[in-house]
Amino acid sequence: MNAAPHPSPALPSRRSLLGGLLAGAALAATPAALATPAHASARRAPTATRPLLLGTYTSAEGGGTGIGTATYDTATGTITPGPVITGVENPSYLALHPSGATVYAVAEQDAGAVTAVALAPDGTYEVLGTRPTGGSGPTHLSVHPTGRWLLSANYTSGSVAVHPIAQDGSLGERTDLVTHSSPPPGPGQNGPHAHQIVTAPDGGHVLAVDLGTDTVYTYRLDESAGTLTEVSRAALAPGSGPRHLTFHPGGRSAYLACELDNTTVVCAYDPESGTLTPGPGQSTGSDTGYPAQLVVTGDGSYAYLANRGPNSLTRYAVEDGGAALRLLDTVPAGGDWPRQLALSPDSSLLFAANQRSSTVTAFRIGSDGSLAPAGEPLPAPVAVCVLPLP
């Protein structure tokens, strides 16, 4: 669970050079010459340096000063730090527009907000402005596949919001706000806590994961009005605390990381109705801990889970066309409190944002899905999100 930092004033628009974002900067990690995994080599682009964006808390002790930037070597995984995109408060989660031209950040604080930042090919950026979410403590946001709507989840107030996206990537006034008023909070919870909102692969349904009510809500988005209409609910085990949902590429299965009862849940998904049907909870590979997030490789073969507490990464084999997960092993995350995971666009690298050690670690994914550390951890103040750019 997340404590919301203090409120902050509206963000000014500004422009600043980010030459280090694409060109690189002084090395902060030792290069590691690692072999390219066989399963990734056929689909990988030639060796190149690609950008990373880093989310943090600007109001936390030892936190960052905005959205961090870095680059990574696609062959070795070595990460190099870059400058900071300033003028953005508490950007604890980031999402990229399908065009690649704009990144969006939550402002995780009492007066929740979302911010748009334009990223130009020449390495410059422009903060396009911020809009209130209508709730407090937003922890997640995502862009609808049409690129016309931004969806956000307010953890502290248990609500989800919709904002229109203009052609230049800027945000308009909120078009909807839905509070999860039922069912009652789960055992030990003090209210609804919307932790994630994401569009299903079918594009026709939006799913919101609420840790406080042990429920995943399915909505249909009116793409003209920007409003949400509930169509179904999926009930998880009381007190399980579902946190983050990840879809299999096939679109008929999804995987839930449940924070409070330390389980992973495989769910069946019906694209026609938007109905999610959870299965039983299964092992995370650790007897204790607080699962944070699952990611699935682009070919749908392997899934990985971040375990806070044990500070480990769990590897699952995906079986039955996505309908089953088989636990293979766990490896050290290389940092303290792995809050979020991200795959490189070709699924050859896995990145972990380690909140308490203020580091980002990279792993090379082998042909059997195994994880091998790639280079040294990147120092990143209170790292809570890492976003590799295409």
Side-chain angles (χ1 to χ4, degrees):
M1 291 181 283
N2 308 294
H6 59 74
S8 65
L11 304 178
S13 292
R14 56 167 294 168
R15 200 160 188 88
S16 174
L17 288 176
L18 280 181
L21 179 58
L22 298 175
L27 287 176
T30 302
L34 299 176
T36 299
H39 82 289
S41 60
R43 64 179 182 268
R44 285 193 55 201
T47 300
T49 299
R50 301 302 305 152
L52 288 174
L53 298 180
L54 309 172
T56 184
Y57 289 115
T58 58
S59 63
E61 182 178 355
T65 56
I67 299 173
T69 76
T71 59
Y72 70 95
D73 187 294
T74 59
T76 67
T78 299
I79 308 174
T80 300
V84 175
I85 299 174
T86 58
V88 186
E89 294 293 322
N90 291 311
S92 65
Y93 203 89
L94 308 171
L96 189 66
H97 191 276
S99 68
T102 312
V103 67
Y104 300 93
V106 298
E108 189 178 339
Q109 52 202 23
D110 289 341
V114 285
T115 301
V117 181
L119 303 173
D122 64 358
T124 60
Y125 76 90
E126 182 180 2
V127 178
L128 300 176
T130 191
R131 297 285 186 179
T133 60
S136 58
T139 57
H140 187 268
L141 79 175
S142 60
V143 182
H144 190 264
T146 61
R148 296 179 53 215
W149 304 100
L150 183 71
L151 312 167
S152 57
N154 296 303
Y155 175 85
T156 307
S157 55
S159 59
V160 292
V162 184
H163 288 80
I165 298 175
Q167 290 234 303
D168 67 353
S170 62
L171 298 170
E173 292 290 348
R174 188 179 63 251
T175 55
D176 205 1
L177 179 69
V178 178
T179 299
H180 297 156
S181 56
S182 66
Q189 297 282 26
N190 60 0
H193 294 304
H195 210 296
Q196 182 199 22
I197 185 166
V198 63
T199 304
D202 59 79
H205 298 93
V206 172
L207 287 83
V209 180
D210 197 297
L211 188 150
T213 63
D214 298 320
T215 301
V216 179
Y217 303 81
T218 298
Y219 298 98
R220 192 173 291 279
L221 174 68
D222 185 322
E223 295 181 25
S224 297
T227 54
L228 297 169
T229 301
E230 185 179 328
V231 297
S232 68
R233 295 181 184 182
L236 279 297
S240 58
R243 176 185 174 95
H244 197 280
L245 181 77
T246 302
F247 278 93
H248 183 268
R252 292 188 172 272
S253 300
Y255 315 115
L256 267 170
C258 292
E259 176 176 332
L260 299 184
D261 70 356
N262 187 31
T263 60
T264 294
V265 175
V266 178
C267 307
Y269 177 71
D270 179 6
E272 296 299 321
S273 65
T275 302
L276 191 75
T277 305
Q282 61 187 74
S283 174
T284 62
S286 173
D287 293 334
T288 60
Y290 301 90
Q293 180 191 6
L294 284 143
V295 293
V296 184
T297 54
D299 62 7
S301 297
Y302 296 96
Y304 303 94
L305 172 70
N307 294 305
R308 296 165 298 167
N311 296 333
S312 62
L313 306 178
T314 303
R315 177 175 61 123
Y316 295 96
V318 179
E319 300 179 333
D320 297 336
L325 293 180
R326 177 167 56 90
L327 193 153
L328 297 176
D329 56 20
T330 64
V331 299
D336 188 359
W337 212 253
R339 168 75 171 267
Q340 185 256 356
L341 299 178
L343 290 162
S344 61
D346 64 0
S347 293
S348 67
L349 292 166
L350 176 72
F351 300 95
N354 304 299
Q355 181 175 356
R356 294 183 178 174
S357 58
S358 290
T359 56
V360 173
T361 44
F363 298 83
R364 169 69 61 201
I365 300 178
S367 59
D368 59 354
S370 59
L371 298 176
E376 296 296 320
L378 172 76
V382 190
V384 290
C385 183
V386 54
L387 177 63
L389 301 187

